[in-house]
Amino acid sequence: MGYQDEYARSISDPNGFWMEAAEGIDWVKTPSKALFEENAPLYEWFADGELNACWNAVDRHVEAGHGERLAIIHDSPITGTTHKITYAELQTRVSSLAGALRAKGVEKGDRVIIYMPMVPEALEAMLACARIGAVHSVVFGGFAANELAVRIDDCKPKCIIAASCGLEPGRVVHYKPLLDGAIEMADHKPDFTLIFQREQEVAQLIEGRDFDWHAAQYGIEPAECVPVEGNHPAYILYTSGTTGQPKGVIRHTGGHMVALNWTMRNLYDMNPGEVFWAASDVGWVVGHSYICYGPLTFGCTTVVFEGKPVGTPDAGTFWRVIEDHKVKCLFTAPTAFRAIKREDPTGELVDNYDRSSLESLFLAGERADPDTIEWAQDKLGVPVIDHWWQTETGWAIAGNPLGIEKLPVKIGSPSVAMPGYDVQILDEGGHPVANGELGAIAVKLPLPPGTLPTLWNAEARYRSSYLQQFPGYYETGDAGMIDEDGYLYIMARTDDVINVAGHRLSTGAMEEVLASHPDVAECAVIGVADALKGQMPMGFLCLNAGTQKASEDIVAECVKLVREKIGPVAAFKLATVVQRLPKTRSGKILRGTMVKIADGEEFKMPATIDDPVILDEIGDALKEMGYPR
Ligand code: COA
Ligand code: AMP
């Protein structure tokens, strides 16, 4: 069957389609049906089945005689080490860690925060939670203590698992002091922490609260897999929304397993035993789905890479990893390729390595610009597939399903809707628009398995953020169009979310931090185009009347404040002081117009603008900063 038939069947017969896909998963109790629509517009999948995610990702492969197959290859150009772990070893390590968690009182349904860098132990911590039915919430290492504290208070973990440190090129990230600070700041206190001591920095443990990763496992009875219901939360992953309060995206176990397992063959064209490499981070959704659960559930080998595309040690690192580990499919963000291309524009380093194992490159996380795609196609000589998805969906909404049928690539488009996603373009009134016309991208409910059923502790916010604007649809927050061949084009976010180096950030959250500076009366943050990172945040500050301090000092303090409160990942480095912000007569800041001026694009003077002169002032301030570039 080709793509068209598969897709049509997924929409006309979702139960049949997904029950068949569910056969790829081991169930303790087979679900009676796929879709549960009793609480529509809240939907669930495989709710009455029982399974265990760790069993599916680890034990079943050992059971099937593949214990000696590599599960994880940890490649760290930062420490200069490589470490390979077989499925049998992974089973031993995970069941022992799960035993230690259980012995300290962690049970099914308890939350566990994981704050770790790109080491295999991060995956082991996720899998150990899954093994005993605990709900993990991984927090990206580039976030500051304050962000960690917000997540601690929202999901109220019984335990936090952390590493002593992370390693950025030329800098040790001191996780433990960040963790201590976050626990101090948070109202909720975890019962205990488990600390994985890395040799690069051994952290001080607080007696009675902090336990050593290895010592806690000493003499422990390994834990068996605990069956959970299909709609049991496998994890919570926080992502940026419009405000400083992140959204806790929930992933239910059954749909999560079924969908990811299905994509490994049908989207990425993988077979068990082959090597899949998602060069991302476990702190992001790509890391959850395609560093950890997807490849392992399907019986592939996953590469855990602790390094950067450039500078560790050079722009040839990705090709070296492909050669060393015989990577078949590489998945990364376009930014990584822009960084490589900038260092090695002619691709000189590419041919120093044997890339014969590589069959495809998948890009996601931000818009893939045609230059980057063409460069990658030219240098690597494999299909370069842009695919579009979100933390909320957990897997691709649109892509090119190489394992079903390789569709023609149209550069600039992430191709077509994946099975289960009825993608439509709507006008402001919620009516579908004609092909080729721009509008809000929405997905007709229900979303397929593996996507978010709701938000943690925030069902009202789930409804108002995603379901309210277009009843009967999930609003993606992206705008775009569909062409006459059904190919989708993603143009821009319709909210205050920006994408910096493939990292999703909230300008609203940054504005909240800037507004807390005592000299700032009012502010706006926008995302301006950046040749490397796609977008960069830029702040405009209006100061309180009578402020004595020099503007440069306030700007420097604001840059520092965002780094302290949100973290280095915000990459907030550009800010300027202005007298006034451009607004509509009703007081809404015209951020979209500011973006257009910064990017040197043409814009229509908004009809509702209060004082057009302010736009000239903004243009002057931007010119001083060297914008448009
Ligand atoms: N822990 C702590 N700090 C981190 C971090 C982590 N896991 N990840 C990033 N940071 C820090 C960086 O060190 C940097 O700090 P600095 O301001 O002191 O230099 C800051 O956060 C900004 O990071 P980033 O925007 O990634 O910029 P960079 O200059 O370090 O790297 C790239 C640029 C392009 C090499 C890098 O962004 C990259 O490899 N991107 C690939 C895309 C990707 O992984 N996307 C994830 C979703 S698929
Ligand atoms: P995240 O939740 O971090 O995965 O970010 C999701 C957002 O990133 C989407 O809503 C899009 O705005 C953007 N995005 C992800 N993939 C793509 C893509 N292939 N093309 C354009 N934008 C993308």
Side-chain angles (χ1 to χ4, degrees):
M1 250 204 280
Y3 160 75
Q4 280 301 348
D5 294 332
E6 287 278 3
Y7 178 76
R9 193 163 75 91
S10 77
I11 301 298
S12 65
D13 178 20
N15 267 303
F17 185 92
W18 291 113
M19 281 305 274
E20 195 179 301
E23 288 169 16
I25 290 302
D26 279 9
W27 298 89
V28 176
K29 181 173 160 242
T30 309
S32 63
K33 59 177 181 175
L35 180 60
F36 288 71
E37 41 194 347
E38 293 74 7
N39 291 325
L42 304 188
Y43 296 86
E44 292 189 343
W45 293 89
F46 310 111
D48 66 358
E50 282 183 23
L51 74 166
N52 181 279
C54 183
W55 171 272
N56 276 285
V58 183
D59 299 59
R60 67 163 168 168
H61 306 306
V62 179
E63 200 86 346
H66 305 304
E68 295 315 305
R69 182 185 290 169
L70 288 182
I72 298 175
I73 299 173
H74 180 231
D75 186 306
S76 171
I78 298 191
T79 59
T81 56
T82 304
H83 180 192
K84 299 179 177 177
I85 299 170
T86 65
Y87 272 98
E89 284 163 347
L90 186 60
Q91 185 186 33
T92 307
R93 292 162 70 111
V94 169
S95 53
S96 163
L97 180 63
L101 291 175
R102 189 180 56 188
K104 294 210 169 305
V106 178
E107 291 172 10
K108 181 182 167 202
D110 288 338
R111 272 81 58 213
V112 174
I113 280 187
I114 299 173
Y115 188 51
M116 297 184 94
M118 286 295 286
V119 290
E121 287 76 7
L123 278 66
E124 290 168 13
M126 294 161 83
L127 294 164
C129 290
R131 196 169 187 86
I132 53 175
V135 183
H136 64 67
S137 187
V138 182
V139 178
F140 178 61
F143 281 123
N146 182 58
E147 289 287 324
L148 184 53
V150 168
R151 288 155 175 79
I152 293 173
D153 277 335
D154 197 69
C155 77
K156 304 198 169 31
K158 188 173 258 183
C159 158
I160 301 182
I161 307 180
S164 54
C165 68
L167 303 170
E168 283 291 287
R171 171 165 76 94
V172 173
V173 185
H174 311 289
Y175 275 40
K176 187 56 173 38
L178 288 168
L179 174 65
D180 290 343
I183 296 177
E184 178 83 31
M185 251 178 256
D187 292 329
H188 172 83
K189 308 291 175 199
D191 288 0
F192 70 100
T193 78
L194 209 55
I195 307 296
F196 174 66
Q197 300 278 22
R198 300 190 74 182
E199 59 188 52
Q200 290 77 14
E201 179 169 280
V202 175
Q204 270 205 333
L205 303 187
I206 298 176
E207 214 180 310
R209 189 198 75 183
D210 300 335
F211 295 87
D212 174 76
W213 172 281
H214 293 290
Q217 293 181 49
Y218 185 74
I220 281 293
E221 173 91 5
E224 288 310 312
C225 295
V226 173
V228 302
E229 301 75 23
N231 60 358
H232 180 73
Y235 67 78
I236 304 164
L237 179 58
Y238 288 91
T239 189
S240 302
T242 314
T243 66
Q245 179 69 26
K247 295 168 169 170
V249 167
I250 297 179
R251 195 84 56 217
H252 281 174
T253 309
H256 168 53
M257 290 279 101
V258 171
L260 294 184
N261 193 61
W262 182 90
T263 58
M264 289 306 295
R265 185 182 304 284
N266 294 287
L267 177 54
Y268 300 105
D269 196 23
M270 294 295 292
N271 294 299
E274 294 174 338
V275 182
F276 191 86
W277 177 24
S280 176
D281 189 286
V282 283
W284 307 115
V285 68
V286 175
H288 282 62
S289 294
Y290 293 112
I291 295 174
C292 186
Y293 290 107
L296 294 178
T297 300
F298 197 58
C300 288
T301 300
T302 185
V303 178
V304 174
F305 175 70
E306 186 180 40
K308 303 274 172 179
V310 293
T312 59
D314 58 30
T317 303
F318 270 31
W319 326 132
R320 195 268 304 157
V321 171
I322 290 168
E323 172 180 309
D324 282 358
H325 309 308
K326 312 233 167 343
V327 173
K328 180 178 176 189
C329 177
L330 167 63
F331 176 169
T332 191
T335 302
F337 267 76
R338 286 196 295 269
I340 294 171
K341 180 170 144 229
R342 196 164 73 164
E343 297 266 307
D344 182 21
T346 57
E348 218 174 291
L349 295 174
V350 183
D351 290 329
N352 289 351
Y353 299 90
D354 174 8
R355 291 166 287 99
S356 55
S357 61
L358 190 72
E359 292 189 10
S360 61
L361 166 66
F362 279 77
L363 298 174
E366 56 176 327
R367 186 174 164 268
D369 52 293
D371 276 359
T372 303
I373 296 184
E374 279 160 7
W375 187 88
Q377 266 174 352
D378 181 43
K379 301 297 174 229
L380 298 180
V382 299
V384 177
I385 308 296
D386 180 17
H387 63 331
W388 167 61
W389 51 302
Q390 312 183 312
T391 304
E392 286 85 344
T393 63
W395 61 285
I397 310 170
N400 197 327
L402 293 192
I404 300 178
E405 175 186 357
K406 182 176 180 291
L407 301 171
V409 169
K410 291 196 190 188
I411 290 186
S413 163
S415 300
V416 295
M418 286 296 94
Y421 290 99
D422 185 352
V423 181
Q424 303 193 12
I425 311 292
L426 306 179
D427 66 16
E428 277 177 14
H431 310 293
V433 302
N435 284 345
E437 274 184 36
L438 267 180
I441 312 180
V443 184
K444 198 154 190 298
L445 294 172
L447 292 172
T451 56
L452 84 171
T454 183
L455 294 174
W456 183 257
N457 274 340
E459 189 185 305
R461 189 174 183 196
Y462 172 67
R463 289 176 187 266
S464 64
S465 303
Y466 302 106
L467 308 182
Q468 191 169 296
Q469 177 76 7
F470 305 119
Y473 292 87
Y474 163 83
E475 185 189 1
T476 65
D478 283 308
M481 63 168 190
I482 297 179
D483 73 8
E484 65 286 358
D485 299 322
Y487 279 61
L488 202 62
Y489 293 79
I490 314 300
M491 300 309 194
R493 291 285 305 189
T494 55
D495 55 14
D496 299 326
V497 166
I498 58 171
N499 227 301
V500 180
H503 306 138
R504 175 167 159 181
L505 299 166
S506 160
T507 55
M510 291 185 222
E511 287 176 4
E512 283 175 29
V513 173
L514 296 177
S516 73
H517 188 286
D519 293 313
V520 173
E522 203 182 16
C523 63
V525 174
I526 58 170
V528 300
D530 183 80
L532 174 65
K533 297 193 178 184
Q535 283 183 301
M536 280 287 270
M538 181 186 278
F540 294 83
L541 314 168
C542 298
L543 305 184
N544 289 320
T547 300
Q548 298 297 323
K549 233 184 244 168
S551 296
E552 309 86 79
D553 292 343
I554 296 176
V555 164
E557 284 169 18
C558 282
V559 166
K560 192 159 162 264
L561 199 60
V562 174
R563 193 177 172 95
E564 269 167 24
K565 292 279 180 200
I566 297 181
V569 67
F572 183 81
K573 291 181 179 157
L574 304 167
T576 186
V577 169
V578 291
Q579 291 305 314
R580 301 175 294 175
L581 292 170
K583 291 184 186 169
T584 62
R585 281 188 284 278
S586 60
K588 196 171 170 292
I589 299 173
L590 291 161
R591 294 182 184 79
T593 312
M594 292 165 79
V595 172
K596 290 224 159 73
I597 299 175
D599 292 350
E601 283 178 26
E602 294 211 353
F603 65 94
K604 265 211 302 245
M605 182 63 70
T608 53
I609 192 163
D610 186 34
D611 183 355
V613 175
I614 304 179
L615 289 182
D616 296 335
E617 295 172 13
I618 295 293
D620 291 343
L622 280 162
K623 250 184 229 137
E624 257 178 50
M625 283 196 287
Y627 286 81
R629 294 235 145 131

